[in-house]
Amino acid sequence: MTARYAVFGQPIAHSQSPHIHAAFARQEGIALDYQAIEASPADFPAELERFAAGGGVGANVTAPLKEIAFGLCRTFTSRAKLAGSVNTLLRKDGYWHGDTTDGVGLVRDLTERHSLDLRGRRVLLLGAGGSARSVAPALLDAGILELIVVNRTSERADELVDAIGEPGRAKTRHWEDLHDLGDFELIVNATSAGRDRNATFELPKALVNSMTTAVDLNYGEAAIAFLAWARAMGCRNTVDGLGMLVEQAATSFQQWHEVRPETDPVYAGLRARNALAGEE
Ligand code: NDP
């Protein structure tokens, strides 16, 4: 049976993942069958079983299925266990092994593509959803000094920080207190607020200093509001989520095919095509 790969999500039609994985496979001379499969949260467990029965050996999972996918795995990487969600599934001896590659993808994009030294930085993380839970430990592992997590629903930020268990370095604050937090060298938007066309980003200017890099995990239209705010406030650098998208995909690819593809040509192609309107 041919080995099959896929990305599951809802909606999934605009996903860039089939294009990215096809480009990696061409580069490595691997014949790849990688499809986008739409599945609702209710249908996903059965769809995933059907996929496995039909030769499915690896899958990416995107919104809103990452936490459900976590519940369908028998084993995990330690970072997936900490995040409580997975975006990468690998079939092993008749069961699913789960990983989360979003956080390491972001760190690789920032440190290698954008040459940012994260060590000793004070970082503000906006959001406490599945991607924030992957990103927070990865930033701490990269050597940042302090992480402040702020989420619209503050209980979710508390849960995220409790799971990390480093009270000296990772803390939460309420959204209403953003004007009292001082300034940050890195501000990461891990919310999906930008997907709402009517959303605006009304964050205090006091969060920004002359060295601040602002990062949006989103790209395309969903990143416009936050990155426009960041530029208007005088942030030194602004980075969208396109590089992270390619890096997290490369880490998934590496787990399935035991080779890490070159990401720069794929990133450049995506940027040039301005293929920005899709899901991760
Ligand atoms: P989740 O649905 O798990 O979390 C959404 C987060 O956004 C929550 O913290 C939620 O807060 C917050 N939020 C939603 N609407 C608003 C609003 N109007 N104001 C303030 N906060 C809001 O999503 P993910 O964590 O999986 O993804 C977050 C974003 O990052 C998505 O847009 C996704 O496309 C993007 N992403 C990009 C990746 C890439 O490779 N570039 C990889 C992964 C994600 P609350 O808890 O209060 O609901």
Side-chain angles (χ1 to χ4, degrees):
M1 203 182 306
T2 317
R4 292 176 59 209
Y5 299 83
V7 56
F8 289 86
Q10 187 183 50
I12 202 64
H14 297 295
S15 173
Q16 302 295 328
S17 294
H19 166 77
I20 293 171
H21 282 273
F24 289 159
R26 272 196 304 278
Q27 200 186 92
E28 301 301 332
I30 293 170
L32 185 73
D33 175 357
Y34 184 111
Q35 291 168 2
I37 301 177
E38 173 123 7
S40 69
D43 292 343
F44 176 51
E47 285 289 344
L48 189 63
E49 275 317 295
R50 204 178 353 262
F51 173 67
V57 294
N60 286 125
V61 181
T62 186
L65 307 174
K66 290 181 183 177
E67 285 170 20
I68 301 172
F70 180 82
L72 299 173
C73 292
R74 189 186 294 176
T75 58
F76 310 91
T77 57
S78 52
R79 60 193 179 202
K81 208 167 183 176
L82 190 55
S85 82
V86 303
N87 73 343
T88 305
L89 294 168
L90 173 64
R91 195 77 178 160
K92 274 189 179 176
D93 303 327
Y95 64 86
W96 290 109
H97 174 74
D99 190 16
T100 177
T101 65
D102 290 334
V104 286
L106 176 67
V107 166
R108 196 181 267 263
D109 182 52
L110 295 180
T111 56
E112 297 189 11
R113 181 164 294 110
H114 297 283
S115 305
L116 280 182
D117 186 352
L118 296 175
R119 288 169 300 176
R121 303 298 179 202
R122 199 164 179 254
V123 181
L124 174 64
L125 177 62
L126 300 169
S131 60
R133 293 182 70 99
S134 182
V135 160
L139 289 170
L140 290 162
D141 284 351
I144 64 168
L145 177 70
E146 186 183 25
L147 181 71
I148 306 286
V149 183
V150 175
N151 192 45
R152 181 177 61 177
T153 310
S154 56
E155 293 78 11
R156 293 185 81 194
D158 293 341
E159 281 167 25
L160 188 164
V161 162
D162 287 350
I164 289 172
E166 281 197 59
R169 279 210 300 162
K171 300 159 194 162
T172 60
R173 291 286 184 273
H174 292 291
W175 200 281
E176 310 80 77
D177 299 332
L178 276 170
H179 51 275
D180 284 335
L181 302 183
D183 54 320
F184 294 85
E185 284 118 6
L186 183 65
I187 303 176
V188 180
N189 176 31
T191 77
S192 53
R195 288 167 172 259
D196 173 358
R197 281 167 188 251
N198 301 315
T200 52
F201 264 91
E202 310 259 345
L203 301 172
K205 186 176 189 330
L207 297 172
V208 172
N209 65 36
S210 61
M211 297 299 291
T212 303
T213 294
V215 180
D216 200 326
L217 266 47
N218 297 281
Y219 47 90
E221 284 189 19
I224 289 174
F226 175 73
L227 295 181
W229 169 83
R231 287 187 201 102
M233 295 302 119
C235 283
R236 188 184 180 100
N237 302 303
T238 55
V239 176
D240 72 8
L242 202 61
M244 168 184 176
L245 177 75
V246 177
E247 297 304 330
Q248 60 81 25
T251 304
S252 298
F253 189 94
Q254 184 174 13
Q255 298 198 21
W256 299 330
H257 305 292
E258 292 172 359
V259 56
R260 185 164 184 99
E262 281 284 323
T263 53
D264 284 347
V266 179
Y267 172 76
L270 275 179
R271 186 62 84 194
R273 287 191 323 142
N274 208 21
L276 299 175
E279 305 288 317
E280 75 271 24

